[in-house]
Amino acid sequence: MTGSTPARQEPLLSVVVACRDEAEVLPEFHTTLLADLRRVDRCWEILYADDGSRDGTLDTLRAFAAADSRVVCLPLGRRGKDAAMAAGLARAAGDCVAFVDADLQHPTALLAPMVEQHDRGFEQVVARRRSVHSGRADRRLGSRVFHLLARILCDVELLEGTGDFRLVSRPVADAALTRTGQHGYMRGLFSSLPSRSAYVDYDWRPRAAGRSAWGTVALVRYGVRALIVCRTKSPEPLVPGVAVTACGDAVITTEVVSASAALVVRKPGLRPSSTAPGVRSTSGR
């Protein structure tokens, strides 16, 4: 059973969660997500895209959808995480769309400040993992090699520490939906779209439960495929009226959220429309 999309009478946040074999952690994740969404100042919907799970994930997601009309369950065959994200994006009705992993490594407490940055005029708000002791040493080395190759081979700048955890505006989401040839690597696709962007830093933490489906071989294959997708020439930018600039040196520090401090880095010349109380701007990094 799937939920129905809420009527869009007010600003709406869509949260897309791609899942595969996450039955063990889903109850805790869903409870945490609901609690954090209560702090978001707008209506919301959750879209769970099941990527061909073989455990009880799909049954759990259907139960969530049956209990709450704001929750949508999208049962998919095994297509890969990025295809599941794209399917969730295509179904999302929100004026902004957030992407979160279900393993609780992405702190959903950051959704509220991410929405606040969106409301100040940023079209992408990207969560950036701090590099200190973030995961296994071999994974960190592999990430550095991947980003080095991306800088050499691709036209897209991929910032280390960033991934799928981000919030995008409706124009950015619509532009991404037209580029179906790049749906095999959603992070690279969003990074290729010119937009006003802010970065919110968070501390790495291990999975809350279950096992990762990403073994070493799977990660290598995924990295090769991502580089191929990033090298694919794209049409001209589809987001009108947005300047493309290099990252600047201004840092906006927001309030501490849960156990994570949120740091927002803005691009030069792209000043948000307003600065909320308690937010200070500093120069230099």
Side-chain angles (χ1 to χ4, degrees):
M1 179 178 179
T2 59
S4 58
T5 302
R8 293 190 59 191
Q9 298 177 349
E10 300 179 37
L12 179 69
L13 166 65
S14 297
V15 181
V16 175
V17 187
C19 303
R20 182 169 184 256
D21 296 337
E22 297 286 7
E24 188 174 349
V25 73
L26 271 175
E28 181 181 355
F29 169 80
H30 190 64
T31 299
T32 301
L33 178 58
L34 290 178
D36 290 331
L37 285 174
R38 295 189 187 102
R39 303 174 57 239
V40 175
D41 188 23
R42 65 177 56 207
C43 297
W44 50 265
E45 65 173 354
I46 304 171
L47 300 107
Y48 285 106
D50 179 66
D51 183 31
S53 294
R54 294 167 295 182
D55 60 0
T57 293
L58 186 55
D59 290 338
T60 301
L61 298 181
R62 284 172 169 156
F64 293 162
D68 192 333
S69 63
R70 297 169 297 180
V71 178
V72 178
C73 173
L74 302 175
L76 309 171
R78 179 71 175 120
R79 303 180 188 178
K81 179 185 178 183
D82 291 275
M85 291 172 59
L89 179 63
R91 179 65 174 76
D95 62 293
C96 58
V97 184
F99 298 89
V100 182
D101 284 353
D103 56 13
L104 285 172
Q105 289 188 292
H106 293 166
T108 53
L110 292 182
L111 288 174
M114 291 169 83
V115 169
E116 289 173 3
Q117 294 303 317
H118 167 268
D119 291 344
R120 290 173 190 147
F122 290 109
E123 292 151 317
Q124 289 201 60
V125 185
V126 185
R128 182 172 54 188
R129 186 182 62 249
R130 294 188 180 92
S131 59
V132 180
H133 304 305
S134 56
R136 289 165 34 183
D138 58 336
R139 296 287 176 88
R140 294 199 301 271
L141 176 60
S143 175
R144 292 192 188 101
V145 171
F146 171 79
H147 285 89
L148 175 62
L149 291 174
R151 282 194 293 271
I152 296 172
L153 300 175
C154 304
D155 296 329
V156 177
E157 182 180 3
L158 302 174
L159 298 182
E160 281 199 69
T162 64
D164 297 323
F165 187 17
R166 68 184 63 219
L167 180 146
V168 302
S169 67
R170 173 46 57 184
V172 171
D174 289 342
L177 286 172
T178 67
R179 299 189 177 189
T180 55
Q182 294 176 273
H183 285 181
Y185 187 45
M186 297 296 287
R187 176 193 174 199
L189 169 55
F190 286 126
S191 298
S192 72
L193 295 173
S195 57
R196 286 178 168 181
S197 298
Y199 296 87
V200 180
D201 287 351
Y202 70 97
D203 294 321
W204 179 87
R205 53 188 178 183
R207 290 178 59 91
R211 296 179 58 186
S212 173
W214 294 97
T216 301
V217 174
L219 283 172
V220 170
R221 288 175 178 170
Y222 182 77
V224 171
R225 185 170 66 250
L227 291 172
I228 293 173
V229 172
C230 283
R231 283 182 59 83
T232 302
K233 295 298 181 181
S234 304
E236 289 301 307
L238 299 178
V239 183
V242 180
V244 184
T245 61
C247 288
D249 60 357
V251 178
I252 302 170
T253 304
T254 69
E255 297 176 310
V256 173
V257 182
S258 186
S260 302
L263 296 177
V264 181
V265 181
R266 67 173 174 83
K267 297 183 177 181
L270 298 177
R271 184 179 298 278
S273 56
S274 63
T275 302
V279 177
R280 62 183 179 85
S281 177
T282 62
S283 297
R285 292 186 64 182

